[in-house]
C-alpha cells in the first residue's frame, strides 16, 4: 500500500512558486473586476476560475514539479542454501556414533524437506567446488573434496547471480581449504550458519598420516612413519585403560607386520610411530594399513590408509670420473656420498691410461678399478666428467654421449683446465651450454671475486639462494654466450666478474633441460672453498656446498626421460573425493600422439572381478600447453592404468602402472564440529548461528519487507499540456459567447 507521498521542485524554490501564483491570482482578480459588456457574477466567477487554473498549471510547469510516493511490499525471502558435501559430512551425526548412525549429510538433507521449490530458492552443494542440487538428486557416497566455503560463496554472489535476501550454510564447520570466507562478509547478505553433527561422546582414533621414511630398495627393509590422531570425548584426558592403537599392515593382500603404539606417548592429539616392513621385490606394491578399532569407537571410517610402495632395484648409481684427483673432485665425492640414497662410484684415471684406473670408495680409499662396460654403464643415472676432458677415453665418452642423447643419463661436465669443445664427441659437445660452439676456453684467475648462488627457479630446481657472499673460486672460464634455455645456478658477484653483458656475473654452474636431456656444466675451479664455510663457522647451518650438489644431482637424475610417454597420475594415492588427474608436465615426443587411457579397478576380495572403466582419449595438446586429463572423483580402491598410442605406427610403446584412491580424507581426522568460523561469518553478516537440533521452521519461510519508491515528473507528462490547452480553449469559448473584449 502507499503510505508516503511528497512533492518537490526540480527548478527553483517553492516560495517563489507560491509568490508567482499569488501574483497571478491578484492579476486575474484585477483583470476581471469589471467586464464589457457586463456579465453576471456566476459567469464572471467561472471565467476567473478558468484563468486561475491556467496560470496555476503554467506556473507549476515552469518550476518542474515532481511527485514522489513509496509502496511497501512483502514477499518470501529469496534464499540460497549451501549444503556441505565434503568428506567430514559423512561422519556420524550422533554423539554415540557407530556404524548404524546416520551421517551428517543425511541429517542436513532432512532439514531441507520443507524448502520451497520455486524461483525464490536455490539449493547448492559445495566442497572444493559449487554444484546445483535438485530435490531428486542423490549425493551418493563420494564427497566433493575439501571444504572451500569462500570459493562457494564467491560463486553464489558472482555478477549475474540473483540478489539473495539470505544465505543458509549447512555444515559441520570444518572449513579447511581456500581463503578466509569472513573476508567476503561485506558483500554478503545475512548468512545463517546451521551446525550439523554432535560432539562425539566416545573416543575415536584416526590414521592421520602414513608415509615412507626414505626410498625403498629390493634388498632392504621398507621404513614407514605414521601418525594416529586421538579424539577424546569432553572431560577425558587419556584413552580407556588397556586401550592402545594397533596398526596392521598388508602388502598386496598379505599380512606383513603389526605395530602397537604406546598410548602413554600421546602428545597433544597425536601418537607417532615407525615400522620396518620386510624387504620387497622390485616394482610397485599396494600397502594397506588398518588401525584396529577400539571397543565402542565412535567411527571406523578414518581407520584405513593406502600407499603405493615403489621399490627400486637399488640406490641411484652415480659415477664420477676424473684424470685429476684435486680438491674439487675430492670434496664433490664427499658431498654426494652423504646422501644415503645414492650409490656413488669414483674413478681416477692416472695419466689418462686405461690400465691406470683407480676406484675410490665413500671413505676416500683407492683400489684397482676400470671403466664400466656397456652393461654397467646402462644402469648408471648420472656421470660427472672432471679434469682434462680431452684426455678421457674416447670410446667411453662416445658411450656416455649416446646414453645422454636417449635421455636415460644425466651428464655433468667439469673441465679443470683448457676446454676444447671440438675435441669432444659431437654428442657430448651438444650437451654443453653455449649458444654456439666456441673456440677453446682457458681458465682465468678469479681469486679476488666473491661468488653467490642465484635465485632463478625456472626448472623448479630449488637451490637455496641468498644475498650472502660465498668465497671466491680459483678460476673461471669466460663464455661467448649461453644458450637461451640455460639457467645459471651460481656466478661471480655482479660487475666484478668483468662480463657486463651478464646481469648475474660470469656463470660458474649452469644447467639445461633440453629435448628431454638434463645436464650441467661447471665452469670454474676452487668450489671446494665453499665447503670450508661449515668448518670456519661450526654450529651454523651454512653447508651450502653439500646442499647445492645434493639438490643439483637430485634434479638431474629425476629428469630421466620416460620410455613410451609422460602421461602419468599426478599422485600415487588420491584422497577420498579428490579429482584424479593425469598430466605430462614436460614436453615429450609422445605429446604429438593421441593417447588412450584405460583404467581397471582391481578386485578387493575373493570372488570379485576387475572392473574396467570407459577409456579416455587424450588428443595432442595445443602448442605450448601441457597435456592434462582430469577423471574426477573415483570410487576408493586400487586402479591399474595403461596408456596406449592410438597411432599404430607410433614408436612410443604402451606403459602403465598403479594408483590408489583411499577412503580417507584429512577432514576425517578432526571429528568434532567446529563453530568458530561459522559463528564469525554469521556475526559479520548480521545472520545467526543455530545447532541442527534447535533449528525450527522451514528455510525460506521468512518474509522480507521492501519499500518501493516511485516518482513522476509532471513537466514531462503530455496530458498536462492538453489540460492546459483545454482550459484556455474553454475560457476563450466562454468569452466569445458573451462577446467579451
Amino acid at each position: 500500500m502507499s503510505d508516503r507521498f511528497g512533492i518537490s521542485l526540480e527548478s527553483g524554490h517553492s516560495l517563489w512558486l507560491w509568490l508567482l501564483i499569488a501574483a497571478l491570482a491578484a492579476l486575474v482578480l484585477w483583470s476581471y473586476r469589471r467586464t464589457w459588456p457586463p456579465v453576471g457574477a456566476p459567469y464572471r466567477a467561472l471565467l476567473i476560475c478558468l484563468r486561475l487554473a491556467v496560470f496555476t498549471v503554467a506556473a507549476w510547469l515552469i518550476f518542474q514539479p515532481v511527485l514522489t510516493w513509496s509502496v511497501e511490499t512483502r514477499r518470501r525471502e529469496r534464499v540460497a542454501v549451501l549444503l556441505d558435501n565434503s568428506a567430514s559430512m559423512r561422519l556420524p551425526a550422533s554423539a554415540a556414533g557407530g556404524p548404524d548412525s546416520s551421517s551428517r549429510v543425511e541429517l542436513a538433507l532432512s532439514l531441507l524437506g520443507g524448502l520451497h521449490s520455486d524461483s525464490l530458492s536455490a539449493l547448492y552443494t559445495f566442497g572444493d567446488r559449487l554444484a546445483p542440487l535438485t530435490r531428486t538428486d542423490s549425493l551418493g557416497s563420494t564427497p566433493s573434496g575439501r571444504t572451500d566455503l569462500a570459493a562457494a560463496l564467491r560463486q553464489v554472489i558472482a555478477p549475474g547471480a540473483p540478489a539473495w535476501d539470505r544465505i543458509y550454510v549447512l555444515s559441520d564447520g570444518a572449513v579447511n581449504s581456500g581463503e578466509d570466507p569472513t573476508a567476503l562478509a561485506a558483500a554478503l547478505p545475512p548468512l545463517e550458519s546451521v551446525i550439523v553433527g554432535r560432539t562425539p561422546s566416545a573416543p575415536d582414533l584416526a590414521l592421520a598420516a602414513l608415509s615412507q621414511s626414505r626410498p625403498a630398495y629390493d634388498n632392504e627393509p621398507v621404513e614407514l612413519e605414521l601418525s594416529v590422531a586421538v579424539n577424546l570425548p569432553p572431560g577425558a584426558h587419556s584413552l580407556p585403560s588397556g586401550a592402545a592403537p594397533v596398526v596392521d599392515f598388508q602388502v598386496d593382500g598379505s599380512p606383513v607386520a603389526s605395530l602397537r603404539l604406546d598410548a602413554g606417548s600421546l602428545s597433544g592429539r597425536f601418537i607417532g610411530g615407525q615400522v620396518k616392513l620386510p624387504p620387497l621385490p622390485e616394482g610397485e606394491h599396494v600397502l594397506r594399513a588398518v588401525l584396529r578399532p577400539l571397543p565402542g569407537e565412535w567411527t571406523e571410517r578414518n581407520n584405513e590408509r593406502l600407499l603405493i610402495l615403489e621399490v627400486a632395484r637399488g640406490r641411484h648409481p652415480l659415477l664420477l670420473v676424473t684424470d685429476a684427483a684435486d680438491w674439487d673432485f675430492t670434496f664433490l665425492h664427499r658431498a654426494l656420498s652423504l646422501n644415503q640414497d645414492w650409490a656413488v662410484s669414483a674413478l681416477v684415471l692416472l695419466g689418462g691410461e686405461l690400465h691406470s684406473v683407480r676406484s675410490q670408495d665413500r671413505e676416500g680409499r683407492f683400489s684397482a678399478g676400470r671403466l664400466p662396460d656397456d652393461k654397467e654403464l646402462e644402469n648408471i643415472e648420472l656421470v660427472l666428467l672432471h679434469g682434462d676432458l680431452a684426455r678421457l677415453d674416447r670410446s667411453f665418452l662416445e658411450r656416455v654421449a649416446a646414453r645422454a642423447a636417449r635421455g636415460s643419463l644425466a651428464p655433468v661436465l667439469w673441465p679443470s683446465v683448457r676446454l676444447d669443445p671440438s675435441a669432444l664427441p659431437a654428442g657430448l659437445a651438444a650437451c654443453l651450454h653455449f649458444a654456439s660452439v666456441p673456440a677453446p676456453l682457458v681458465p682465468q684467475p678469479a681469486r679476488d671475486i666473491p661468488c653467490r648462488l642465484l635465485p632463478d627457479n625456472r626448472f623448479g630446481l630449488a637451490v637455496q639462494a641468498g644475498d650472502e657472499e660465498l668465497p671466491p673460486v680459483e678460476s673461471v672460464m669466460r663464455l661467448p654466450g649461453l644458450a637461451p634455455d640455460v639457467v645459471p645456478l651460481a656466478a661471480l658477484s655482479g660487475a666484478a666478474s668483468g662480463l657486463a653483458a651478464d646481469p648475474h656475473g660470469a656463470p660458474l654452474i649452469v644447467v639445461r633441460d633440453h629435448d628431454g636431456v638434463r645436464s650441467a656444466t661447471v665452469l670454474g675451479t676452487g668450489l671446494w672453498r665453499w665447503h670450508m664455510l661449515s668448518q670456519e663457522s661450526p654450529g651454523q647451518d651454512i653447508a651450502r656446498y653439500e646442499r647445492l650438489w645434493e639438490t643439483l644431482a637430485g634434479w638431474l637424475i629425476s629428469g630421466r626421460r620416460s620410455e613410451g610417454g609422460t602421461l602419468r597420475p599426478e599422485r600415487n594415492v588420491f584422497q577420498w573425493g579428490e579429482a584424479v588427474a593425469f598430466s605430462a608436465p614436460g614436453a615429450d615426443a609422445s605429446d604429438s600422439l593421441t593417447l588412450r587411457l584405460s583404467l581397471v579397478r582391481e578386485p578387493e576380495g575373493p570372488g570379485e572381478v576387475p572392473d574396467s572403466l570407459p577409456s579416455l582419449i587424450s588428443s595432442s595438446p595445443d602448442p605450448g600447453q601441457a597435456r592434462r586429463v582430469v577423471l574426477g572423483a573415483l570410487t576408493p580402491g586400487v586402479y591399474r592404468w595403461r596408456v596406449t598410442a592410438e597411432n599404430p605406427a607410433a614408436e612410443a610403446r604402451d606403459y602403465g602402472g598403479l594408483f590408489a584412491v583411499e577412503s580417507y580424507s584429512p577432514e576425517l581426522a578432526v571429528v568434532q564440529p567446529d563453530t568458530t568460523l561459522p559463528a564469525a561469518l554469521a556475526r559479520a553478516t548480521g545472520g545467526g548461528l543455530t545447532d541442527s537440533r534447535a533449528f525450527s521452521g522451514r528455510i525460506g519461510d521468512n518474509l522480507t519487507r521492501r519499500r518501493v519508491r516511485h516518482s513522476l515528473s509532471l513537466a514531462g507528462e503530455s496530458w498536462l499540456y492538453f489540460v492546459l490547452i483545454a482550459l484556455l480553449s474553454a475560457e476563450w469559448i466562454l468569452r466569445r459567447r458573451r462577446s467579451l473584449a
Side-chain angles (χ1 to χ4, degrees):
M1 63 179 179
S2 175
D3 59 355
R4 294 185 182 179
F5 180 85
I7 188 168
S8 60
L9 302 177
E10 291 188 1
S11 177
H13 195 275
S14 59
L15 176 62
W16 297 109
L17 171 64
W18 293 114
L19 290 175
L20 177 60
I21 292 176
L24 292 174
L27 178 63
V28 170
L29 293 175
W30 180 82
S31 62
Y32 274 107
R33 70 186 188 281
R34 65 173 62 89
T35 61
W36 183 261
V39 295
Y43 203 89
R44 185 171 56 179
L46 177 61
L47 291 174
I48 290 174
C49 290
L50 288 174
R51 181 163 294 189
L52 283 175
V54 169
F55 283 175
T56 300
V57 171
W60 274 90
L61 291 177
I62 292 173
F63 283 82
Q64 296 180 313
V66 177
L67 299 180
T68 59
W69 70 98
S70 61
V71 178
E72 184 182 85
T73 61
R74 297 183 181 182
R75 60 165 174 80
R76 285 191 300 104
E77 289 183 333
R78 182 178 287 109
V79 298
V81 181
L82 275 61
L83 173 59
D84 190 350
N85 188 33
S86 60
S88 62
M89 291 291 285
R90 266 62 180 185
L91 291 170
S94 69
D100 298 329
S101 173
S102 61
S103 67
R104 294 171 179 175
V105 73
E106 291 172 339
L107 175 59
L109 285 172
S110 68
L111 300 178
L112 303 178
L115 184 63
H116 295 278
S117 300
D118 55 26
S119 60
L120 293 179
S121 64
L123 177 59
Y124 303 93
T125 63
F126 73 97
D128 57 3
R129 55 192 176 277
L130 186 73
L133 179 70
T134 66
R135 306 306 188 279
T136 58
D137 284 343
S138 172
L139 292 180
S141 60
T142 303
S144 177
R146 305 286 293 275
T147 305
D148 189 349
L149 179 57
L153 291 174
R154 281 193 183 279
Q155 290 183 258
V156 167
I157 62 173
W164 307 110
D165 298 308
R166 197 173 298 271
I167 295 177
Y168 287 85
V169 176
L170 281 69
S171 173
D172 57 5
V175 178
N176 53 30
S177 179
E179 64 176 305
D180 183 1
T182 57
L184 305 175
L188 295 174
L191 187 143
E192 305 291 339
S193 296
V194 181
I195 299 299
V196 182
R198 301 280 302 278
T199 298
S201 60
D204 177 73
L205 300 178
L207 189 51
L210 178 66
S211 61
Q212 287 182 242
S213 306
R214 51 189 303 276
Y217 303 103
D218 58 358
N219 58 349
E220 299 178 5
V222 179
E223 299 179 10
L224 303 176
E225 293 181 347
L226 56 88
S227 178
V228 173
V230 179
N231 299 286
L232 299 174
H237 301 286
S238 61
L239 290 172
S241 177
V246 178
V247 184
D248 297 318
F249 300 91
Q250 299 177 6
V251 174
D252 299 331
S254 300
V256 293
S258 294
L259 175 65
R260 184 182 183 89
L261 300 174
D262 181 10
S265 65
L266 179 62
S267 175
R269 289 185 50 249
F270 296 93
I271 300 177
Q274 298 178 337
V275 64
K276 288 187 178 181
L277 305 183
L280 299 174
E282 178 188 1
E284 290 182 311
H285 302 273
V286 180
L287 170 71
R288 188 182 302 271
V290 180
L291 182 63
R292 295 181 190 175
L294 298 175
E297 184 170 350
W298 186 69
T299 182
E300 298 179 24
R301 182 179 283 279
N302 49 18
N303 287 21
E304 181 178 313
R305 301 296 302 268
L306 290 176
L307 196 64
I308 301 296
L309 295 176
E310 295 183 348
V311 180
R313 181 171 52 187
R315 302 177 188 275
H316 295 288
L318 279 58
L319 177 64
L320 314 182
V321 181
T322 184
D323 68 343
D326 54 14
W327 286 108
D328 275 329
F329 187 81
T330 300
F331 281 104
L332 168 67
H333 180 217
R334 181 182 302 175
L336 296 179
S337 298
L338 291 175
N339 192 314
Q340 297 299 315
D341 298 324
W342 298 343
V344 181
S345 302
L347 298 177
V348 179
L349 281 63
L350 301 179
E353 301 291 338
L354 286 179
H355 62 272
S356 301
V357 179
R358 295 292 182 266
S359 177
Q360 186 179 19
D361 60 19
R362 284 180 177 268
E363 283 69 34
R365 295 187 295 264
F366 289 93
S367 60
R370 59 179 177 81
L371 290 174
D373 56 26
D374 289 341
K375 183 178 180 181
E376 294 169 332
L377 184 62
E378 194 67 28
N379 296 325
I380 293 173
E381 299 181 17
L382 181 147
V383 168
L384 182 137
L385 305 176
H386 175 264
D388 188 351
L389 304 186
R391 297 178 58 194
L392 301 183
D393 181 71
R394 182 80 179 187
S395 63
F396 172 68
L397 295 180
E398 289 175 347
R399 287 186 287 137
V400 170
R403 280 282 317 279
R406 298 199 302 270
S408 54
L409 177 143
V412 180
L413 305 181
W414 191 344
S416 61
V417 295
R418 180 176 181 271
L419 173 62
D420 186 359
S422 63
L424 300 176
L428 201 57
C431 295
L432 293 173
H433 300 70
F434 311 132
S436 58
V437 178
L441 302 176
V442 179
Q444 299 185 15
R447 293 186 179 89
D448 298 326
I449 305 174
C451 308
R452 61 193 180 98
L453 298 178
L454 303 176
D456 200 320
N457 196 26
R458 274 182 283 169
F459 293 151
L461 179 54
V463 173
Q464 184 178 1
D467 296 331
E468 296 183 22
E469 293 183 340
L470 298 171
V473 293
E474 294 175 340
S475 66
V476 65
M477 295 183 180
R478 294 190 177 182
L479 303 182
L482 296 175
D485 57 350
V486 170
V487 174
L489 298 185
L492 301 187
S493 291
S497 66
L499 285 184
D502 192 324
H504 298 304
L508 284 171
I509 304 175
V510 292
V511 296
R512 190 180 195 183
D513 189 345
H514 180 69
D515 195 23
V517 178
R518 290 183 177 180
S519 58
T521 300
V522 184
L523 297 162
T525 61
L527 271 69
W528 61 270
R529 296 168 180 262
W530 299 0
H531 169 79
M532 302 309 294
L533 279 176
S534 58
Q535 308 297 322
E536 297 171 358
S537 304
Q540 297 185 25
D541 183 23
I542 54 175
R544 291 192 180 94
Y545 186 79
E546 287 78 6
R547 287 199 300 269
L548 168 66
W549 283 109
E550 184 176 27
T551 303
L552 176 57
W555 177 78
L556 289 169
I557 62 179
S558 66
R560 299 178 65 188
R561 185 183 298 166
S562 302
E563 296 184 2
T566 58
L567 186 64
R568 298 180 180 276
E570 293 183 344
R571 274 186 292 285
N572 285 339
V573 177
F574 295 89
Q575 293 168 348
W576 190 34
E578 182 183 12
V580 176
F582 281 62
S583 62
D588 190 86
S590 64
D591 285 346
S592 61
L593 301 175
T594 298
L595 304 178
R596 177 184 294 273
L597 175 61
S598 303
L599 298 179
V600 176
R601 186 171 180 268
E602 297 284 276
E604 293 189 351
E608 293 190 14
V609 296
D611 182 17
S612 298
L613 279 67
S615 300
L616 278 85
I617 303 298
S618 174
S619 58
S620 176
D622 295 333
Q625 299 295 319
R627 189 192 295 265
R628 193 168 190 264
V629 179
V630 180
L631 306 179
L634 299 180
T635 303
V638 178
Y639 292 81
R640 189 170 298 277
W641 60 274
R642 179 153 295 278
V643 173
T644 308
E646 284 288 281
N647 182 2
E651 296 182 0
R653 65 177 179 83
D654 298 353
Y655 58 99
L658 296 175
F659 72 87
V661 178
E662 59 181 349
S663 56
Y664 178 85
S665 167
E667 292 197 347
L668 301 180
V670 181
V671 298
Q672 181 173 340
D674 187 358
T675 62
T676 305
L677 186 58
L681 189 58
R683 184 169 54 251
T685 60
L689 178 71
T690 311
D691 185 86
S692 58
R693 293 169 294 169
F695 183 76
S696 60
R698 291 150 52 104
I699 294 178
D701 274 355
N702 294 333
L703 296 179
T704 180
R705 296 182 178 183
R706 183 184 180 191
R707 185 174 298 279
V708 181
R709 184 175 181 273
H710 302 277
S711 63
L712 176 65
S713 177
L714 297 179
E717 296 295 319
S718 59
W719 61 269
L720 197 58
Y721 294 94
F722 286 114
V723 170
L724 185 62
I725 294 174
L727 293 174
L728 287 170
S729 300
E731 183 189 8
W732 182 79
I733 292 173
L734 291 176
R735 290 177 65 87
R736 292 292 295 173
R737 288 185 61 185
R738 296 299 178 92
S739 301
L740 294 176

